[in-house]
PDB file of all heavy atoms in Angstrom:
ATOM      1  N   PRO A  23       0.822  -1.212   0.000  1.00  0.00           N
ATOM      2  CA  PRO A  23       0.000   0.000   0.000  1.00  0.00           C
ATOM      3  C   PRO A  23       0.854   1.259   0.000  1.00  0.00           C
ATOM      4  O   PRO A  23       1.786   1.397   0.791  1.00  0.00           O
ATOM      5  CB  PRO A  23      -0.809  -0.130   1.292  1.00  0.00           C
ATOM      6  CG  PRO A  23      -0.885  -1.603   1.537  1.00  0.00           C
ATOM      7  CD  PRO A  23       0.446  -2.139   1.075  1.00  0.00           C
ATOM      8  N   GLY A  24       0.542   2.175  -0.906  1.00  0.00           N
ATOM      9  CA  GLY A  24       1.272   3.425  -1.001  1.00  0.00           C
ATOM     10  C   GLY A  24       2.635   3.326  -1.644  1.00  0.00           C
ATOM     11  O   GLY A  24       3.371   4.320  -1.667  1.00  0.00           O
ATOM     12  N   LYS A  25       2.982   2.157  -2.163  1.00  0.00           N
ATOM     13  CA  LYS A  25       4.287   1.954  -2.768  1.00  0.00           C
ATOM     14  C   LYS A  25       4.154   1.583  -4.237  1.00  0.00           C
ATOM     15  O   LYS A  25       3.104   1.122  -4.693  1.00  0.00           O
ATOM     16  CB  LYS A  25       5.052   0.847  -2.036  1.00  0.00           C
ATOM     17  CG  LYS A  25       5.268   1.089  -0.552  1.00  0.00           C
ATOM     18  CD  LYS A  25       6.226   2.229  -0.311  1.00  0.00           C
ATOM     19  CE  LYS A  25       6.521   2.382   1.170  1.00  0.00           C
ATOM     20  NZ  LYS A  25       7.462   3.502   1.429  1.00  0.00           N
ATOM     21  N   GLN A  26       5.241   1.791  -4.975  1.00  0.00           N
ATOM     22  CA  GLN A  26       5.293   1.366  -6.361  1.00  0.00           C
ATOM     23  C   GLN A  26       5.508  -0.137  -6.441  1.00  0.00           C
ATOM     24  O   GLN A  26       6.097  -0.746  -5.546  1.00  0.00           O
ATOM     25  CB  GLN A  26       6.415   2.095  -7.094  1.00  0.00           C
ATOM     26  CG  GLN A  26       6.207   3.595  -7.226  1.00  0.00           C
ATOM     27  CD  GLN A  26       5.075   3.925  -8.163  1.00  0.00           C
ATOM     28  OE1 GLN A  26       4.946   3.345  -9.247  1.00  0.00           O
ATOM     29  NE2 GLN A  26       4.231   4.868  -7.762  1.00  0.00           N
ATOM     30  N   ARG A  27       5.026  -0.721  -7.518  1.00  0.00           N
ATOM     31  CA  ARG A  27       5.278  -2.125  -7.747  1.00  0.00           C
ATOM     32  C   ARG A  27       6.775  -2.333  -7.992  1.00  0.00           C
ATOM     33  O   ARG A  27       7.394  -1.582  -8.745  1.00  0.00           O
ATOM     34  CB  ARG A  27       4.468  -2.626  -8.940  1.00  0.00           C
ATOM     35  CG  ARG A  27       4.590  -4.126  -9.170  1.00  0.00           C
ATOM     36  CD  ARG A  27       3.677  -4.603 -10.290  1.00  0.00           C
ATOM     37  NE  ARG A  27       2.279  -4.393  -9.969  1.00  0.00           N
ATOM     38  CZ  ARG A  27       1.267  -4.814 -10.721  1.00  0.00           C
ATOM     39  NH1 ARG A  27       1.512  -5.483 -11.839  1.00  0.00           N
ATOM     40  NH2 ARG A  27       0.025  -4.561 -10.360  1.00  0.00           N
ATOM     41  N   GLU A  28       7.343  -3.345  -7.355  1.00  0.00           N
ATOM     42  CA  GLU A  28       8.760  -3.602  -7.482  1.00  0.00           C
ATOM     43  C   GLU A  28       9.017  -5.057  -7.851  1.00  0.00           C
ATOM     44  O   GLU A  28       8.279  -5.956  -7.452  1.00  0.00           O
ATOM     45  CB  GLU A  28       9.502  -3.267  -6.181  1.00  0.00           C
ATOM     46  CG  GLU A  28       9.085  -4.113  -4.994  1.00  0.00           C
ATOM     47  CD  GLU A  28       9.935  -3.873  -3.757  1.00  0.00           C
ATOM     48  OE1 GLU A  28      11.048  -3.331  -3.888  1.00  0.00           O
ATOM     49  OE2 GLU A  28       9.488  -4.234  -2.654  1.00  0.00           O
ATOM     50  N   LEU A  29      10.079  -5.258  -8.598  1.00  0.00           N
ATOM     51  CA  LEU A  29      10.517  -6.601  -8.954  1.00  0.00           C
ATOM     52  C   LEU A  29      11.296  -7.187  -7.793  1.00  0.00           C
ATOM     53  O   LEU A  29      12.253  -6.580  -7.313  1.00  0.00           O
ATOM     54  CB  LEU A  29      11.382  -6.552 -10.210  1.00  0.00           C
ATOM     55  CG  LEU A  29      12.011  -7.866 -10.669  1.00  0.00           C
ATOM     56  CD1 LEU A  29      10.938  -8.854 -11.104  1.00  0.00           C
ATOM     57  CD2 LEU A  29      12.993  -7.608 -11.805  1.00  0.00           C
ATOM     58  N   VAL A  30      10.912  -8.375  -7.355  1.00  0.00           N
ATOM     59  CA  VAL A  30      11.604  -9.005  -6.238  1.00  0.00           C
ATOM     60  C   VAL A  30      12.465 -10.180  -6.664  1.00  0.00           C
ATOM     61  O   VAL A  30      13.468 -10.472  -6.005  1.00  0.00           O
ATOM     62  CB  VAL A  30      10.623  -9.434  -5.127  1.00  0.00           C
ATOM     63  CG1 VAL A  30       9.904  -8.219  -4.563  1.00  0.00           C
ATOM     64  CG2 VAL A  30       9.613 -10.460  -5.631  1.00  0.00           C
ATOM     65  N   ALA A  31      12.109 -10.861  -7.746  1.00  0.00           N
ATOM     66  CA  ALA A  31      12.883 -12.014  -8.188  1.00  0.00           C
ATOM     67  C   ALA A  31      12.600 -12.295  -9.649  1.00  0.00           C
ATOM     68  O   ALA A  31      11.467 -12.136 -10.109  1.00  0.00           O
ATOM     69  CB  ALA A  31      12.572 -13.254  -7.349  1.00  0.00           C
ATOM     70  N   SER A  32      13.627 -12.731 -10.380  1.00  0.00           N
ATOM     71  CA  SER A  32      13.501 -13.090 -11.786  1.00  0.00           C
ATOM     72  C   SER A  32      14.195 -14.410 -12.037  1.00  0.00           C
ATOM     73  O   SER A  32      15.177 -14.745 -11.370  1.00  0.00           O
ATOM     74  CB  SER A  32      14.122 -12.032 -12.698  1.00  0.00           C
ATOM     75  OG  SER A  32      13.471 -10.788 -12.575  1.00  0.00           O
ATOM     76  N   ILE A  33      13.689 -15.134 -13.018  1.00  0.00           N
ATOM     77  CA  ILE A  33      14.345 -16.352 -13.468  1.00  0.00           C
ATOM     78  C   ILE A  33      14.328 -16.364 -14.988  1.00  0.00           C
ATOM     79  O   ILE A  33      13.316 -16.035 -15.618  1.00  0.00           O
ATOM     80  CB  ILE A  33      13.692 -17.615 -12.865  1.00  0.00           C
ATOM     81  CG1 ILE A  33      14.510 -18.860 -13.214  1.00  0.00           C
ATOM     82  CG2 ILE A  33      12.240 -17.761 -13.286  1.00  0.00           C
ATOM     83  CD1 ILE A  33      14.152 -20.066 -12.359  1.00  0.00           C
ATOM     84  N   TYR A  34      15.459 -16.736 -15.565  1.00  0.00           N
ATOM     85  CA  TYR A  34      15.644 -16.637 -17.000  1.00  0.00           C
ATOM     86  C   TYR A  34      15.586 -18.014 -17.654  1.00  0.00           C
ATOM     87  O   TYR A  34      15.481 -19.033 -16.962  1.00  0.00           O
ATOM     88  CB  TYR A  34      16.953 -15.921 -17.309  1.00  0.00           C
ATOM     89  CG  TYR A  34      16.986 -14.535 -16.706  1.00  0.00           C
ATOM     90  CD1 TYR A  34      17.604 -14.298 -15.478  1.00  0.00           C
ATOM     91  CD2 TYR A  34      16.362 -13.471 -17.343  1.00  0.00           C
ATOM     92  CE1 TYR A  34      17.605 -13.032 -14.912  1.00  0.00           C
ATOM     93  CE2 TYR A  34      16.355 -12.207 -16.783  1.00  0.00           C
ATOM     94  CZ  TYR A  34      16.979 -11.989 -15.572  1.00  0.00           C
ATOM     95  OH  TYR A  34      16.968 -10.737 -15.016  1.00  0.00           O
ATOM     96  N   ARG A  35      15.681 -18.014 -18.969  1.00  0.00           N
ATOM     97  CA  ARG A  35      15.527 -19.264 -19.712  1.00  0.00           C
ATOM     98  C   ARG A  35      16.576 -20.303 -19.339  1.00  0.00           C
ATOM     99  O   ARG A  35      16.289 -21.502 -19.373  1.00  0.00           O
ATOM    100  CB  ARG A  35      15.575 -18.997 -21.218  1.00  0.00           C
ATOM    101  CG  ARG A  35      14.507 -18.028 -21.695  1.00  0.00           C
ATOM    102  CD  ARG A  35      14.649 -17.727 -23.170  1.00  0.00           C
ATOM    103  NE  ARG A  35      13.857 -16.567 -23.560  1.00  0.00           N
ATOM    104  CZ  ARG A  35      13.758 -16.092 -24.783  1.00  0.00           C
ATOM    105  NH1 ARG A  35      14.410 -16.682 -25.773  1.00  0.00           N
ATOM    106  NH2 ARG A  35      13.013 -15.028 -25.031  1.00  0.00           N
ATOM    107  N   ASN A  36      17.765 -19.833 -18.985  1.00  0.00           N
ATOM    108  CA  ASN A  36      18.839 -20.737 -18.585  1.00  0.00           C
ATOM    109  C   ASN A  36      18.853 -21.004 -17.083  1.00  0.00           C
ATOM    110  O   ASN A  36      19.822 -21.536 -16.558  1.00  0.00           O
ATOM    111  CB  ASN A  36      20.193 -20.186 -19.028  1.00  0.00           C
ATOM    112  CG  ASN A  36      20.527 -18.861 -18.369  1.00  0.00           C
ATOM    113  OD1 ASN A  36      19.706 -18.284 -17.651  1.00  0.00           O
ATOM    114  ND2 ASN A  36      21.733 -18.374 -18.616  1.00  0.00           N
ATOM    115  N   TYR A  37      17.789 -20.610 -16.390  1.00  0.00           N
ATOM    116  CA  TYR A  37      17.586 -20.799 -14.965  1.00  0.00           C
ATOM    117  C   TYR A  37      18.430 -19.876 -14.092  1.00  0.00           C
ATOM    118  O   TYR A  37      18.433 -20.021 -12.866  1.00  0.00           O
ATOM    119  CB  TYR A  37      17.793 -22.260 -14.552  1.00  0.00           C
ATOM    120  CG  TYR A  37      16.729 -23.180 -15.091  1.00  0.00           C
ATOM    121  CD1 TYR A  37      16.885 -23.801 -16.319  1.00  0.00           C
ATOM    122  CD2 TYR A  37      15.558 -23.409 -14.374  1.00  0.00           C
ATOM    123  CE1 TYR A  37      15.898 -24.627 -16.830  1.00  0.00           C
ATOM    124  CE2 TYR A  37      14.570 -24.234 -14.875  1.00  0.00           C
ATOM    125  CZ  TYR A  37      14.749 -24.839 -16.110  1.00  0.00           C
ATOM    126  OH  TYR A  37      13.766 -25.661 -16.608  1.00  0.00           O
ATOM    127  N   GLN A  38      19.138 -18.927 -14.701  1.00  0.00           N
ATOM    128  CA  GLN A  38      19.802 -17.899 -13.910  1.00  0.00           C
ATOM    129  C   GLN A  38      18.758 -17.077 -13.174  1.00  0.00           C
ATOM    130  O   GLN A  38      17.673 -16.806 -13.703  1.00  0.00           O
ATOM    131  CB  GLN A  38      20.646 -17.004 -14.808  1.00  0.00           C
ATOM    132  CG  GLN A  38      21.437 -15.944 -14.056  1.00  0.00           C
ATOM    133  CD  GLN A  38      22.250 -15.063 -14.982  1.00  0.00           C
ATOM    134  OE1 GLN A  38      22.148 -15.163 -16.207  1.00  0.00           O
ATOM    135  NE2 GLN A  38      23.058 -14.192 -14.413  1.00  0.00           N
ATOM    136  N   THR A  39      19.081 -16.677 -11.960  1.00  0.00           N
ATOM    137  CA  THR A  39      18.134 -15.937 -11.142  1.00  0.00           C
ATOM    138  C   THR A  39      18.739 -14.633 -10.651  1.00  0.00           C
ATOM    139  O   THR A  39      19.955 -14.510 -10.510  1.00  0.00           O
ATOM    140  CB  THR A  39      17.673 -16.758  -9.933  1.00  0.00           C
ATOM    141  OG1 THR A  39      18.810 -17.130  -9.140  1.00  0.00           O
ATOM    142  CG2 THR A  39      16.951 -18.020 -10.382  1.00  0.00           C
ATOM    143  N   THR A  40      17.884 -13.665 -10.385  1.00  0.00           N
ATOM    144  CA  THR A  40      18.277 -12.414  -9.754  1.00  0.00           C
ATOM    145  C   THR A  40      17.255 -12.075  -8.683  1.00  0.00           C
ATOM    146  O   THR A  40      16.095 -12.485  -8.758  1.00  0.00           O
ATOM    147  CB  THR A  40      18.372 -11.255 -10.757  1.00  0.00           C
ATOM    148  OG1 THR A  40      17.101 -11.056 -11.387  1.00  0.00           O
ATOM    149  CG2 THR A  40      19.421 -11.548 -11.826  1.00  0.00           C
ATOM    150  N   TYR A  41      17.687 -11.297  -7.689  1.00  0.00           N
ATOM    151  CA  TYR A  41      16.834 -10.941  -6.571  1.00  0.00           C
ATOM    152  C   TYR A  41      17.046  -9.496  -6.174  1.00  0.00           C
ATOM    153  O   TYR A  41      18.150  -8.959  -6.289  1.00  0.00           O
ATOM    154  CB  TYR A  41      17.124 -11.828  -5.361  1.00  0.00           C
ATOM    155  CG  TYR A  41      16.866 -13.290  -5.601  1.00  0.00           C
ATOM    156  CD1 TYR A  41      17.874 -14.127  -6.072  1.00  0.00           C
ATOM    157  CD2 TYR A  41      15.608 -13.833  -5.370  1.00  0.00           C
ATOM    158  CE1 TYR A  41      17.635 -15.468  -6.305  1.00  0.00           C
ATOM    159  CE2 TYR A  41      15.360 -15.177  -5.602  1.00  0.00           C
ATOM    160  CZ  TYR A  41      16.375 -15.987  -6.071  1.00  0.00           C
ATOM    161  OH  TYR A  41      16.128 -17.319  -6.303  1.00  0.00           O
ATOM    162  N   ALA A  42      15.988  -8.887  -5.695  1.00  0.00           N
ATOM    163  CA  ALA A  42      16.132  -7.588  -5.067  1.00  0.00           C
ATOM    164  C   ALA A  42      16.965  -7.729  -3.800  1.00  0.00           C
ATOM    165  O   ALA A  42      16.916  -8.757  -3.119  1.00  0.00           O
ATOM    166  CB  ALA A  42      14.761  -7.005  -4.734  1.00  0.00           C
ATOM    167  N   ASP A  43      17.731  -6.691  -3.490  1.00  0.00           N
ATOM    168  CA  ASP A  43      18.582  -6.748  -2.309  1.00  0.00           C
ATOM    169  C   ASP A  43      17.789  -7.039  -1.038  1.00  0.00           C
ATOM    170  O   ASP A  43      18.279  -7.716  -0.131  1.00  0.00           O
ATOM    171  CB  ASP A  43      19.344  -5.436  -2.142  1.00  0.00           C
ATOM    172  CG  ASP A  43      20.433  -5.253  -3.179  1.00  0.00           C
ATOM    173  OD1 ASP A  43      20.836  -6.255  -3.808  1.00  0.00           O
ATOM    174  OD2 ASP A  43      20.888  -4.106  -3.353  1.00  0.00           O
ATOM    175  N   SER A  44      16.573  -6.558  -0.979  1.00  0.00           N
ATOM    176  CA  SER A  44      15.769  -6.711   0.224  1.00  0.00           C
ATOM    177  C   SER A  44      15.351  -8.145   0.504  1.00  0.00           C
ATOM    178  O   SER A  44      14.951  -8.461   1.626  1.00  0.00           O
ATOM    179  CB  SER A  44      14.522  -5.827   0.138  1.00  0.00           C
ATOM    180  OG  SER A  44      13.734  -6.173  -0.986  1.00  0.00           O
ATOM    181  N   VAL A  45      15.432  -9.027  -0.497  1.00  0.00           N
ATOM    182  CA  VAL A  45      14.984 -10.405  -0.313  1.00  0.00           C
ATOM    183  C   VAL A  45      16.094 -11.422  -0.507  1.00  0.00           C
ATOM    184  O   VAL A  45      15.853 -12.623  -0.318  1.00  0.00           O
ATOM    185  CB  VAL A  45      13.799 -10.749  -1.242  1.00  0.00           C
ATOM    186  CG1 VAL A  45      12.677  -9.735  -1.075  1.00  0.00           C
ATOM    187  CG2 VAL A  45      14.241 -10.829  -2.697  1.00  0.00           C
ATOM    188  N   LYS A  46      17.284 -10.990  -0.868  1.00  0.00           N
ATOM    189  CA  LYS A  46      18.387 -11.926  -1.084  1.00  0.00           C
ATOM    190  C   LYS A  46      18.650 -12.751   0.166  1.00  0.00           C
ATOM    191  O   LYS A  46      18.690 -12.232   1.268  1.00  0.00           O
ATOM    192  CB  LYS A  46      19.655 -11.179  -1.488  1.00  0.00           C
ATOM    193  CG  LYS A  46      19.662 -10.709  -2.925  1.00  0.00           C
ATOM    194  CD  LYS A  46      20.971 -10.023  -3.274  1.00  0.00           C
ATOM    195  CE  LYS A  46      21.004  -9.600  -4.729  1.00  0.00           C
ATOM    196  NZ  LYS A  46      22.258  -8.886  -5.075  1.00  0.00           N
ATOM    197  N   GLY A  47      18.824 -14.042  -0.041  1.00  0.00           N
ATOM    198  CA  GLY A  47      19.060 -14.951   1.061  1.00  0.00           C
ATOM    199  C   GLY A  47      17.813 -15.446   1.737  1.00  0.00           C
ATOM    200  O   GLY A  47      17.890 -16.363   2.569  1.00  0.00           O
ATOM    201  N   ARG A  48      16.667 -14.870   1.402  1.00  0.00           N
ATOM    202  CA  ARG A  48      15.405 -15.263   2.025  1.00  0.00           C
ATOM    203  C   ARG A  48      14.407 -15.843   1.030  1.00  0.00           C
ATOM    204  O   ARG A  48      13.616 -16.711   1.401  1.00  0.00           O
ATOM    205  CB  ARG A  48      14.764 -14.072   2.741  1.00  0.00           C
ATOM    206  CG  ARG A  48      15.632 -13.456   3.831  1.00  0.00           C
ATOM    207  CD  ARG A  48      14.867 -12.417   4.642  1.00  0.00           C
ATOM    208  NE  ARG A  48      14.434 -11.289   3.816  1.00  0.00           N
ATOM    209  CZ  ARG A  48      13.170 -10.950   3.596  1.00  0.00           C
ATOM    210  NH1 ARG A  48      12.183 -11.662   4.146  1.00  0.00           N
ATOM    211  NH2 ARG A  48      12.867  -9.900   2.853  1.00  0.00           N
ATOM    212  N   PHE A  49      14.423 -15.361  -0.203  1.00  0.00           N
ATOM    213  CA  PHE A  49      13.484 -15.811  -1.229  1.00  0.00           C
ATOM    214  C   PHE A  49      14.226 -16.636  -2.275  1.00  0.00           C
ATOM    215  O   PHE A  49      15.389 -16.361  -2.588  1.00  0.00           O
ATOM    216  CB  PHE A  49      12.821 -14.626  -1.932  1.00  0.00           C
ATOM    217  CG  PHE A  49      11.841 -13.842  -1.100  1.00  0.00           C
ATOM    218  CD1 PHE A  49      11.733 -14.011   0.266  1.00  0.00           C
ATOM    219  CD2 PHE A  49      11.013 -12.919  -1.721  1.00  0.00           C
ATOM    220  CE1 PHE A  49      10.841 -13.282   1.018  1.00  0.00           C
ATOM    221  CE2 PHE A  49      10.105 -12.180  -0.975  1.00  0.00           C
ATOM    222  CZ  PHE A  49      10.017 -12.352   0.391  1.00  0.00           C
ATOM    223  N   THR A  50      13.540 -17.612  -2.840  1.00  0.00           N
ATOM    224  CA  THR A  50      14.082 -18.418  -3.922  1.00  0.00           C
ATOM    225  C   THR A  50      13.025 -18.576  -5.006  1.00  0.00           C
ATOM    226  O   THR A  50      11.910 -19.020  -4.724  1.00  0.00           O
ATOM    227  CB  THR A  50      14.518 -19.805  -3.435  1.00  0.00           C
ATOM    228  OG1 THR A  50      15.505 -19.672  -2.407  1.00  0.00           O
ATOM    229  CG2 THR A  50      15.118 -20.608  -4.587  1.00  0.00           C
TER     230      THR A  50
END
């Protein structure tokens, strides 16, 4: 609420992943 939509995690065709700093180590 009151915030912009943000990307938290991505997965690519080769299964490479990226994460927002706020969720690294906690989300998979």
Side-chain angles (χ1 to χ4, degrees):
K25 302 291 185 180
Q26 294 291 316
R27 185 175 297 186
E28 63 174 341
L29 176 65
V30 298
S32 298
I33 187 164
Y34 301 97
R35 302 176 194 182
N36 63 354
Y37 292 90
Q38 183 181 6
T39 58
T40 60
Y41 298 91
D43 288 342
S44 59
V45 307
K46 283 182 178 178
R48 301 188 298 117
F49 290 12
T50 301

